[in-house]
Structures are given as structure tokens and as C-alpha cells.
Amino acid sequence: METASRPLDALNAARNKRVILELKNGTQLIGKLYAFDIHVNIVLHEAEERVNGELKRKLNTVFVRGDTIIIISPE
Amino acid sequence: METASRPLDALNAARNKRVILELKNGTQLIGKLYAFDIHVNIVLHEAEERVNGELKRKLNTVFVRGDTIIIISPE
Amino acid sequence: METASRPLDALNAARNKRVILELKNGTQLIGKLYAFDIHVNIVLHEAEERVNGELKRKLNTVFVRGDTIIIISPE
Amino acid sequence: METASRPLDALNAARNKRVILELKNGTQLIGKLYAFDIHVNIVLHEAEERVNGELKRKLNTVFVRGDTIIIISPE
Amino acid sequence: METASRPLDALNAARNKRVILELKNGTQLIGKLYAFDIHVNIVLHEAEERVNGELKRKLNTVFVRGDTIIIISPE
Amino acid sequence: METASRPLDALNAARNKRVILELKNGTQLIGKLYAFDIHVNIVLHEAEERVNGELKRKLNTVFVRGDTIIIISPE
Amino acid sequence: METASRPLDALNAARNKRVILELKNGTQLIGKLYAFDIHVNIVLHEAEERVNGELKRKLNTVFVRGDTIIIISPE
């Protein structure tokens, strides 16, 4: 039997992989998951911001405050 | 007499089963409940995102921040 | 003189009875109160979801995140 | 000189008296204050729900989550 | 040199004086500041509720939940 | 090398100076920063309230609840 | 292997560099990151406020309450 895992373990497994973040304001951020903490604050590297699927901006490094995030999913 | 149970026990009973999540923004996520914590942060595997009952996307793994969730129900 | 009682005692008295939950998004959930905790997270069994008084869905078991709840009242 | 009193003392003085609760969604609940806690979760007995001053429902017992309350005032 | 004072000291100085409270929903409450706590929960005595500057109601005693308050100012 | 400073140190440096507060509801408050705490609750003296740049009111002393504040800037 | 880093480490790396802050109300603040804390409260120096990409104001020093921030990105 596998041990019960926790949500932050899943984030840890995604470290250094590309993930999609969806924010409460409708923005998508796609980038390499570099860091996270228990508040679900996130740092992405080599990130792109998309609104309605359209590239809005490239951001080398972006800190995202956890309370603005809805979902995080590996690409 | 049964012992008083707690809400997170009910989530535990649903582990590895398919559940429906309804989010504050109207999105539905359906997938296998893989992990949760006391903040009701959730990780689903083999997930589908539906808006107005219509499949929008498939997501192998998705982390959902607890404060965006309204209800969780086993299918 | 009666001892000063606390709100969660009232929830405890409603355990295994049918209750109505009203949520911030206007949804009503009616079901048997199976579990609750100090965050007012709730699990209902044999539940119905109603919107504008109309049955929308039946849910065997439903976990409701406490911060989405306005009132809880035994039927 | 009187001792500095605290807001929850004022709620305690209203215990078993009829109070008006006004909620963030515009609802009024009027009933006998039966229980409260430090989160300002409230239980009313023999309660009435009013919307725009008009009786909507009678509720024998109602638990109100504190974070939905704006004001509480003895009738 | 004066000692650095804290915001709750300013509320303490206003105790038993008439204050104006402005709430997030646009309501004004004017009354005698009777009690407060660290959450900025407030009890006013001999209070008036005003909407758009117009008297809506008189309230002998009113408990106001701190998280609904924007500003408090002695008259 | 300078020591890493913290945001509340910056507020402390502004004590007794005139600051502009911008609130989530669009209001501006300009006054002398008299007191603050870790919740960013603020007390201003000799304050003015402005809406759309226009003077709305003068307030000798005003307590502002921290969670309504967006920015604070010395004039 | 690199040690797992945390989001606030990324903010620390940006100290004294120019960063863009995007706030929940749509405002952009661009300035030199002078201070931050665990609540993601931020102090910028030599800051500019932009709305829809257009310069609205210059602010020598500005304290930004953490809960109003969506993202922080070095320029």
C-alpha cells in the first residue's frame, strides 16, 4: 500500500518542470516551477503570461502570491 | 453508537476514488482524489475540467488551492 | 440556570438530522448532517442541491468548505 | 470608574434576548440569541429571516457563520 | 520625545466619545464607542445608522464585526 | 553593506510625516502618520479624505483598518 | 544537486533591483525593491504607478500591502 501523500508533495514532484498556473483574475502563467511554500506562493522561471490563450508577456522570473492561484498543473 | 466523525475523514474515505470539485469561479473538476490537506488543498489525477457541463480540458495532475473550492463529492 | 452554550454545540445537536445549508453563491444543500469541524466544514449524506428552490442534483455524500456557508438550519 | 468592557461582553448581555443580525448578503435574521463564540458564529432560536423587511421564512434554530455578519443589535 | 503609540491606543482614547464608523457596504454608524477588541470588533451605544447621509435607524446598542469596518473617526 | 530592512521599518521612518493612503474602495486619505501596527492598521492625524482628487471631508483623527489599505506613501 | 529554494529567497535575490508589481485592482507599480516580509508586504523606492501602461504618478517611497499583490517580477 502507498503512504497517503499530501498536496505539497505533488508540487514538489513538479519542481523544475513546466507548469500552468491559473489565477483568480483569469490570467494563465506558464513556466518552470522553481520554488513554492506552504502558502502556495510560487516562483516560476522562463515564464509566459497568457490571457485568453494569447501570449501577453515573457517574464524571466515571476513571484506569484498564493492567494491569487486557483490551480497548478504540470504541462 | 458510532464515533463522531470529522469532515476530513470523509475526504480520506474518498481517496483514490473519482470526485467532483466545484470551484467558486463556476468550474468543475472531476478526477481521482490523490491528496488533500487541512486547508482542503486537493490534488486530482486523471482530471477533467468542465465549464457548464462541457469538457474544457484534460489534466493528468492538478493541484487545486483549497480556498477556491465550494464542494467535493464522490461521483 | 443553564450553562452558556456554544454554536458548535448546536451543530452537534443536529448531527444525523436533516439540515439546510445556504451558501454564499445562492445554492441550498439539504441533507443529513454527518460531520463538521471548527472551520464549519460540513459533510452531508443523502444530500440534494437546490437552486431557486428547484432540485438540481442528488449527492450521496458532499463535503462543503466552511467559508462558503452562510447559515445552517435543521429542517 | 467602570472597567473597560469588550465587544463579546455586549453579546453576552444580549444572550436569550431577541437580536437583529444583518448579513453581508442583505439578509436580516431576527431571533433569540442562544449562543456565540469568538469568531462571532451565532445561533438564534425562534428566528425569522427577512429580505427587504419582508418575512421570508421561520427557522426554529439557525447557525450563522460569523464572517457573514455585519452587525448584531438587540431589538 | 513621545513614545511610539499604537492604533488601538487611539481607539482607547475615543472610548465613551461619539465616533463615526464607515463600513465596506457604504453604511455609516454614529454612536458612543463603548467597547472594542484587537479584531476591531466594535460596540456602539446610542447609535444611528445613516445611508447616503440620511438617518435610517436608531440602535440602542450595536455590535459591529471588525472585518466590515473601513474607518473609525471621533466626531 | 546595509542591513536588510523590513516594510514596517519604512512606515516607522514616516511617523509624524504626512502620508497618502489609498484604500480598496478608491478613497484617498492624506494625514500625519501617528500610529501603525503589524496588521497595517493606521491612525492619521489632521487628515483629509479625497475621492477622485476632490476634498470630501476633514478628520482630526482617523483609524483605518489595515485590510482596506492598498498603498501608503509619504507625500 | 541544488537545495530546494523558497519563494521569499527569490524576492531576496531581487532586493535593490527594479521590479514590477501587479496589484489586484489592475495597477502596476515599478520601482526598486527595498524591503519585503513574510506577508509579502513590499516597499519600493523610486517608484512609478502605471494604469493601462500609462504613467500616473511618481512615488519616492511606497509601502504596498501584501494581500493586494498578484505578481512581482524583476524587470
Side-chain angles (χ1 to χ4, degrees):
Chain A
M1 293 295 292
E2 70 182 325
T3 311
S5 67
R6 286 176 299 185
L8 294 188
D9 297 338
L11 286 190
N12 205 39
R15 209 186 273 269
N16 292 319
K17 302 203 178 109
R18 287 186 76 75
V19 296
I20 302 178
L21 264 65
E22 297 199 345
L23 308 190
K24 290 180 182 163
N25 70 351
T27 299
Q28 276 194 329
L29 288 166
I30 297 107
K32 205 164 78 177
L33 180 60
Y34 178 71
F36 65 89
D37 62 23
I38 56 163
H39 307 292
V40 197
N41 293 320
I42 297 280
V43 175
L44 300 180
H45 281 183
E46 302 161 35
E48 291 182 5
E49 184 178 338
R50 294 187 199 155
V51 179
N52 300 323
E54 208 173 296
L55 179 64
K56 196 178 137 194
R57 253 189 319 177
K58 298 202 171 209
L59 298 162
N60 276 330
T61 296
V62 60
F63 173 101
V64 188
R65 204 173 189 271
D67 74 327
T68 68
I69 294 172
I70 301 177
I71 62 171
I72 304 167
S73 182
E75 256 193 333
Chain B
M1 293 295 292
E2 71 182 323
T3 311
S5 67
R6 287 175 297 184
L8 294 187
D9 297 338
L11 287 190
N12 205 40
R15 210 186 271 269
N16 293 318
K17 301 201 178 110
R18 287 186 76 75
V19 296
I20 302 177
L21 263 64
E22 296 199 345
L23 307 191
K24 289 179 182 163
N25 70 351
T27 300
Q28 275 194 329
L29 288 166
I30 296 108
K32 206 165 77 177
L33 180 60
Y34 178 70
F36 65 89
D37 62 21
I38 55 162
H39 306 293
V40 197
N41 293 320
I42 298 280
V43 174
L44 300 180
H45 281 182
E46 302 160 35
E48 291 182 5
E49 185 178 337
R50 293 186 200 156
V51 179
N52 300 323
E54 208 172 297
L55 179 64
K56 195 178 137 194
R57 253 190 317 179
K58 298 203 172 207
L59 298 162
N60 275 331
T61 297
V62 60
F63 173 101
V64 188
R65 204 173 187 272
D67 74 326
T68 68
I69 294 172
I70 301 176
I71 62 171
I72 304 168
S73 182
E75 257 192 332
Chain C
M1 293 295 291
E2 70 181 326
T3 312
S5 67
R6 286 176 297 185
L8 294 187
D9 297 338
L11 286 190
N12 206 40
R15 211 187 272 268
N16 293 317
K17 301 202 178 109
R18 286 186 77 74
V19 297
I20 302 176
L21 264 65
E22 296 199 345
L23 307 191
K24 289 179 182 163
N25 70 351
T27 301
Q28 276 194 330
L29 289 166
I30 297 108
K32 206 164 77 177
L33 180 60
Y34 177 71
F36 65 89
D37 63 21
I38 56 162
H39 306 292
V40 197
N41 294 320
I42 297 280
V43 175
L44 299 180
H45 281 182
E46 302 160 35
E48 290 181 5
E49 185 177 337
R50 293 187 200 155
V51 179
N52 300 323
E54 208 172 295
L55 178 63
K56 195 178 137 195
R57 252 189 319 179
K58 297 202 172 208
L59 298 163
N60 275 331
T61 296
V62 60
F63 173 101
V64 188
R65 205 173 187 271
D67 75 326
T68 68
I69 294 172
I70 302 177
I71 62 171
I72 305 168
S73 182
E75 258 194 332
Chain D
M1 294 296 291
E2 69 182 325
T3 312
S5 66
R6 285 175 299 185
L8 294 187
D9 296 339
L11 286 190
N12 206 40
R15 210 187 272 268
N16 293 317
K17 300 201 180 110
R18 286 186 76 75
V19 296
I20 301 177
L21 263 65
E22 297 199 345
L23 307 190
K24 288 180 182 163
N25 70 351
T27 301
Q28 275 193 330
L29 289 166
I30 297 106
K32 206 164 77 177
L33 180 61
Y34 178 71
F36 65 89
D37 63 21
I38 55 163
H39 306 292
V40 197
N41 294 320
I42 297 280
V43 175
L44 299 180
H45 281 182
E46 302 162 34
E48 291 181 5
E49 185 177 337
R50 294 188 199 153
V51 180
N52 300 323
E54 207 172 296
L55 178 64
K56 195 178 138 194
R57 253 190 317 179
K58 298 202 174 209
L59 298 162
N60 276 331
T61 297
V62 60
F63 173 101
V64 188
R65 204 173 188 273
D67 74 327
T68 67
I69 294 172
I70 301 176
I71 62 171
I72 305 167
S73 183
E75 258 193 332
Chain E
M1 293 295 292
E2 69 183 324
T3 312
S5 66
R6 285 177 298 185
L8 295 187
D9 296 339
L11 286 191
N12 206 41
R15 210 186 272 269
N16 293 318
K17 300 200 180 112
R18 287 186 75 75
V19 296
I20 301 177
L21 263 65
E22 296 199 345
L23 308 190
K24 290 180 182 162
N25 70 350
T27 301
Q28 276 193 329
L29 289 165
I30 297 107
K32 206 164 78 177
L33 180 61
Y34 178 71
F36 65 89
D37 63 21
I38 55 163
H39 306 292
V40 197
N41 294 320
I42 297 280
V43 175
L44 299 180
H45 281 182
E46 303 162 33
E48 291 181 4
E49 184 177 337
R50 294 187 200 154
V51 179
N52 299 323
E54 208 173 296
L55 179 63
K56 195 178 138 195
R57 254 190 317 178
K58 297 202 173 208
L59 298 163
N60 276 331
T61 297
V62 60
F63 173 101
V64 188
R65 203 172 188 272
D67 74 327
T68 68
I69 294 172
I70 301 176
I71 62 171
I72 305 168
S73 182
E75 258 193 332
Chain F
M1 294 294 293
E2 70 183 323
T3 312
S5 67
R6 286 177 297 185
L8 295 187
D9 297 338
L11 287 190
N12 205 41
R15 209 186 273 269
N16 292 319
K17 301 201 179 111
R18 287 186 75 76
V19 296
I20 302 177
L21 264 64
E22 296 199 345
L23 307 190
K24 290 180 182 163
N25 70 350
T27 301
Q28 276 194 329
L29 289 165
I30 297 107
K32 206 164 78 177
L33 180 61
Y34 178 70
F36 65 89
D37 63 22
I38 55 162
H39 307 293
V40 197
N41 294 320
I42 297 280
V43 175
L44 299 180
H45 281 182
E46 303 162 33
E48 291 182 3
E49 184 177 338
R50 294 187 199 153
V51 179
N52 299 323
E54 207 173 296
L55 178 63
K56 195 177 138 194
R57 254 189 318 179
K58 298 203 172 208
L59 299 161
N60 276 331
T61 297
V62 60
F63 173 101
V64 188
R65 203 172 189 272
D67 74 328
T68 68
I69 293 172
I70 301 176
I71 62 171
I72 306 168
S73 182
E75 257 192 332
Chain G
M1 293 294 292
E2 71 183 322
T3 312
S5 66
R6 286 176 298 184
L8 295 187
D9 296 338
L11 287 190
N12 206 40
R15 210 187 273 269
N16 292 318
K17 302 203 178 109
R18 287 187 75 76
V19 296
I20 302 177
L21 264 64
E22 297 199 344
L23 308 191
K24 289 179 181 163
N25 70 351
T27 300
Q28 276 194 329
L29 289 166
I30 297 107
K32 206 165 78 178
L33 180 61
Y34 178 70
F36 64 89
D37 62 22
I38 55 162
H39 307 292
V40 197
N41 293 320
I42 297 281
V43 175
L44 300 180
H45 281 182
E46 303 161 33
E48 291 182 4
E49 184 178 337
R50 293 187 199 154
V51 179
N52 301 322
E54 207 172 296
L55 178 63
K56 194 178 138 195
R57 255 190 317 180
K58 298 202 173 209
L59 298 161
N60 275 330
T61 297
V62 60
F63 173 101
V64 188
R65 203 173 189 271
D67 74 327
T68 68
I69 293 171
I70 301 176
I71 63 172
I72 305 168
S73 182
E75 257 193 333

